[in-house]
Amino acid sequence: MKLAQQSSWFNAERVAVKGSIVLEQWRKAHGPEHKRLASNLQRRSYAGAQMGRTVADWVANGTSADSELYTGLRPLRNRSRQLVRDNEYAANAIKRIIPNNVVGRGIGLQPLVKLASGKEDAVTNAAIKKAWAKWSRAENCHTAGRMSFEDLERCVMRGVAEAGEILVRIIRQRFAKSNVPMALELIEADQLVDNWSGRTNDGNEVRMGVEVDKWQRPVAYWFYPRHPGDFSFASSAPSNDWLRVPASEILHIGLFERPTQTRCVPWLHSVLIKLRHMGGYEEAEIVAARASASIMGFVQSPESETPDMPGGAMDSDDVVDNEKVFDMSPGIIKELGPGETFSGFNPSRPNGALDPFMRYMLRSVAAGTGISYESLSRDYSQTTYSSGRLALLDDRDNWRVLQAWLVRTFHQHVYEAWLDLAVLSGALQLRGYEQNTEAYQLVRWQTRGWDWVDPLKEVMAAKAAIRSGITTQTRVLAGKGEDIEEILEERRNELNLAADLDLVFDTDPAQTNDKGASQAKPESDGGPSPTDEDSATDGIATDTTGE
C-alpha cells in the first residue's frame, strides 16, 4: 500500500512537471514577452513589409518572370494591340513617337575598315556601303518584298513596343535581283507556341515556345505554321505540326529585364487599365454632353390636361408614341396651353473638371510609358521654356538608350550575317576576310539626332568645346544625326563650285572672318600678315623662336 502511494505521488509529480514545461513553452510562444519581441522585430523591419489592416489586401507573390507571364502574356499583348488600334494616345506613342525618335528616317551605316597604316580604307568602305545600299531595297532584303531596310527598322521598333517582342528570321537565300543570298522575315510574337512548356527528347526545357539549355540559352524556337489569328484566310483547319527553327536563324528582339526571363511584355503593360478607364470616362462625358444638349427644357401641364384624358389640351398631331412633341428652331416663340409652364434646362456639361482631370491621368500614363507629357498629349499650354527643355532632354536620353539597344540587338547581328554571306557569295571581294573578320566588321551606326533647343547658344558652346579639345566635330555632328564625311564632302563641293563661279560668301572661313571682313592673303613666304589683327587674335599663337 505504501508502494502504491509513492507511485501515485511520483506520477502526479511527473504530470505537474510536464504541465509546467508545456505552460512555459506556450508562454514563450504566446505570452507578453513574445508579443513585445514580435513588436520590436516588426518595428525594425521594412515598412513596406509590415502587415496590418491597411495592407491586408496587398497580395504580392514571389514568382519568376516567366511564371508571371505564362497566363498573362496573351491578354497583355491583345489588349495592347486593341488600345493602339482604338486609343489615340496609345497610337501616338507606339506608332509615331517611339519609332520616329529611335529610328527616324533610318539608321545609317558607315564601315570603319582601316589600312595597315591605320588610315581608313576609303575604297573598301565605299564598296561595302554601296553593296549594303543595294541590298537594303525592299525586293532584296525583305522576304515579302514590301519593306525596305528602313521600313523594317521601324516595323521592328513598333512591334517591340506594341507586343513586347518581335522575331526576325534570317533566310539565307536570294530574293529578286540581290547579289547577297540573304533576306529577313519578320514574325510576330503571336506565332510562338506560348501555351506549351515542357521538355524535349534532348532534355532541353521549353518555356512558352522557346527551347533553352541548362544555362537558359535559347537553342530553338517553336512556331505555329501560320499566325493563329489568321483564321479568316486559312484554307484548311489549324494544324498542330509546329515548326522548330534553330536559334541561329532567329533574332529575338525585346527588352529582357529579369534574369532567366524568356519572353517580354508590351511597353504599355503598366498603363493598359488606366488608358481604358480614360477612354470610358471620355466617352461617358461625351454622351452626357450630347444628352444634355438635346434637352431644351420641360413643359409642366395640369394633370387633367394630358393626352390620355378626354378634353386634353393637345392635338393628336402633337403626340408621337404618347410623347408630346414640339417643333423648335432659333428665334421661335412658342405659345403654351392653358395652365402649362415651361422650365428651362441648364446642363452641367461639358464638365469643367474634365481638362485638368485628363491632364492628371495623362501625366501618369506618360510616366508609365517613359514619354514626356508634352510629347504624348501634344499639349504645350502648361509648358514653360525651362520645363519643356528639361522634358525634351530627358526624352532624348531615353531615345539614345533605346537606339544603342536596337543597334546591339538588331543592326549589328544583321550586318555581320550579311557581310559573311556577301563575301562567301562573291558580291564583295575582301582580301583576308576569313583571317581578319572582326576588322572588316567594324562599323559605326549613325542614329538619328535632334536639332538644338537654342541653336545660337549651343552652336557657340559646341565651337568652344571643339576648340578646347573637350569634344570633336564628329561627335557634335553625330548628336544631330549627321555623318561628318557626308558633311565635309558636301562642304568641299560647295566651296569648289563657288570658286569655279568666282563667288565669295561670308560662310567660307578661308575668305572672310566671323565678322564678315575679308581675310588678308598670306605673304609669299607663307607667313602671316602682321597687319591682320583678326587672324592674329583668332588663331592659337605658337612661339617657334624659343624666346
Side-chain angles (χ1 to χ4, degrees):
M1 186 68 181
K2 190 174 181 180
L3 182 62
Q5 289 179 350
Q6 290 178 350
S7 177
S8 176
W9 173 85
F10 181 74
N11 290 335
E13 186 70 18
R14 288 182 59 188
V15 170
V17 171
K18 187 174 181 181
S20 176
I21 294 174
V22 171
L23 182 62
E24 181 67 18
Q25 291 177 346
W26 181 91
R27 188 181 63 80
K28 289 181 179 180
H30 304 284
E33 294 85 355
H34 170 75
K35 291 182 178 181
R36 285 196 296 270
L37 179 60
S39 178
N40 292 334
L41 290 176
Q42 189 175 14
R43 283 196 295 268
R44 294 172 184 172
S45 65
Y46 289 98
Q50 295 179 5
M51 303 300 295
R53 176 177 53 81
T54 58
V55 292
D57 60 342
W58 189 351
V59 180
N61 298 321
T63 51
S64 67
D66 286 349
S67 296
E68 294 170 356
L69 283 172
Y70 188 67
T71 57
L73 183 57
R74 283 191 178 184
L76 284 174
R77 189 169 58 225
N78 295 338
R79 291 176 179 179
S80 175
R81 288 209 174 105
Q82 188 272 327
L83 281 177
V84 172
R85 288 194 302 267
D86 301 332
N87 186 281
E88 63 271 26
Y89 298 112
N92 184 37
I94 301 300
K95 290 185 176 181
R96 287 176 286 275
I97 296 178
I98 293 176
N100 286 351
N101 284 278
V102 177
V103 177
R105 293 176 294 178
I107 297 179
L109 169 74
Q110 182 57 53
L112 299 177
V113 182
K114 295 183 178 181
L115 298 170
S117 60
K119 295 183 178 180
E120 290 192 7
D121 189 346
V123 176
T124 301
N125 291 336
I128 295 175
K129 198 171 183 178
K130 182 178 179 180
W132 175 265
K134 181 179 179 180
W135 177 80
S136 297
R137 299 170 186 169
E139 63 273 15
N140 296 331
C141 70
H142 187 210
T143 53
R146 295 191 182 97
M147 300 184 192
S148 65
F149 191 74
E150 290 80 6
D151 300 328
L152 290 174
E153 293 172 303
R154 294 181 63 86
C155 190
V156 165
M157 200 64 242
R158 284 197 305 268
V160 172
E162 182 181 41
E165 55 192 348
I166 195 169
L167 297 108
V168 181
R169 186 177 183 183
I170 300 176
I171 306 297
R172 292 173 171 83
Q173 71 177 65
R174 286 185 173 87
F175 287 82
K177 299 179 181 179
S178 175
N179 294 331
V180 181
M182 173 178 158
L184 302 177
E185 178 189 11
L186 298 188
I187 305 174
E188 288 188 318
D190 310 59
Q191 206 163 334
L192 268 177
V193 187
D194 52 14
N195 62 344
W196 175 62
S197 297
R199 288 195 177 274
T200 63
N201 295 330
D202 298 333
N204 291 330
E205 187 178 7
V206 179
R207 289 173 168 257
M208 292 177 285
V210 182
E211 182 180 337
V212 296
D213 60 14
K214 66 177 182 178
W215 303 107
Q216 301 300 309
R217 185 181 292 266
V219 176
Y221 292 83
W222 292 78
F223 294 98
Y224 293 111
R226 59 185 302 152
H227 195 292
D230 198 27
F231 50 83
S232 300
F233 304 96
S235 58
S236 59
S239 173
N240 290 327
D241 296 332
W242 299 334
L243 304 177
R244 183 183 184 273
V245 180
S248 58
E249 299 180 12
I250 297 293
L251 298 179
H252 188 184
I253 303 174
L255 287 176
F256 296 89
E257 299 172 338
R258 293 181 62 180
T260 69
Q261 182 178 346
T262 307
R263 304 292 299 273
C264 303
V265 294
W267 291 7
L268 296 177
H269 66 92
S270 62
V271 296
L272 289 176
I273 296 178
K274 186 161 291 188
L275 281 172
R276 176 170 171 79
H277 288 336
M278 288 174 61
Y281 172 71
E282 189 177 22
E283 181 183 6
E285 286 290 340
I286 293 173
V287 171
R290 291 184 61 186
S292 300
S294 301
I295 300 176
M296 303 298 297
F298 304 94
V299 175
Q300 297 177 347
S301 302
E303 292 185 4
S304 61
E305 298 194 10
T306 59
D308 301 341
M309 307 178 84
M314 287 191 299
D315 195 333
S316 61
D317 293 337
D318 297 332
V319 180
V320 177
D321 294 333
N322 289 331
E323 295 285 343
K324 189 174 181 180
V325 179
F326 289 99
D327 292 330
M328 303 297 292
S329 61
I332 192 172
I333 299 176
K334 188 69 177 177
E335 183 178 352
L336 299 178
E340 292 182 337
T341 59
F342 178 80
S343 299
F345 177 65
N346 185 19
S348 60
R349 295 293 192 277
N351 189 352
L354 174 63
D355 186 52
F357 175 72
M358 291 297 286
R359 284 203 303 267
Y360 165 77
M361 296 291 283
L362 277 176
R363 284 196 295 269
S364 178
V365 172
T369 56
I371 302 173
S372 64
Y373 165 79
E374 291 80 6
S375 298
L376 182 65
S377 65
R378 303 291 186 184
D379 175 23
Y380 301 94
S381 61
Q382 309 292 320
T383 306
T384 63
Y385 174 80
S386 299
S387 62
R389 190 175 188 276
L390 287 175
L392 191 62
L393 294 176
D394 192 31
D395 276 354
R396 289 180 180 180
D397 287 339
N398 183 40
W399 304 136
R400 289 189 179 99
V401 171
L402 291 176
Q403 286 173 342
W405 163 81
L406 184 63
V407 165
R408 291 192 307 269
T409 57
F410 176 62
H411 290 78
Q412 192 64 32
H413 290 293
V414 171
Y415 175 70
E416 291 176 1
W418 172 84
L419 192 60
D420 288 342
L421 293 172
V423 174
L424 290 174
S425 63
L428 282 174
Q429 302 293 333
L430 302 180
R431 183 181 302 176
Y433 178 81
E434 294 81 1
Q435 292 77 25
N436 205 9
T437 304
E438 293 184 358
Y440 280 104
Q441 289 179 345
L442 288 177
V443 63
R444 180 175 65 244
W445 295 100
Q446 188 59 56
T447 56
R448 73 146 292 181
W450 300 269
D451 290 328
W452 288 302
V453 179
D454 191 339
L456 181 59
K457 292 181 180 179
E458 296 188 26
V459 166
M460 297 302 295
K463 178 181 177 181
I466 293 172
R467 290 180 64 86
S468 61
I470 296 176
T471 187
T472 62
Q473 189 175 352
T474 300
R475 294 193 177 189
V476 172
L477 290 173
K480 289 175 55 62
E482 302 289 353
D483 187 346
I484 187 171
E485 294 186 2
E486 294 180 0
I487 293 292
L488 294 181
E489 287 177 1
E490 288 183 13
R491 183 67 170 157
R492 182 71 268 169
N493 293 335
E494 286 181 354
L495 295 177
N496 290 339
L497 181 61
D500 293 341
L501 299 177
D502 198 20
L503 298 174
V504 177
F505 299 97
D506 61 0
T507 56
D508 185 359
Q511 302 291 337
T512 61
N513 60 17
D514 56 357
K515 300 179 179 62
S518 298
Q519 296 276 30
K521 298 294 183 182
E523 298 286 337
S524 58
D525 60 356
S529 172
T531 60
D532 191 358
E533 297 179 357
D534 291 329
S535 62
T537 57
D538 191 48
I540 299 177
T542 303
D543 186 0
T544 59
T545 62
E547 296 180 359

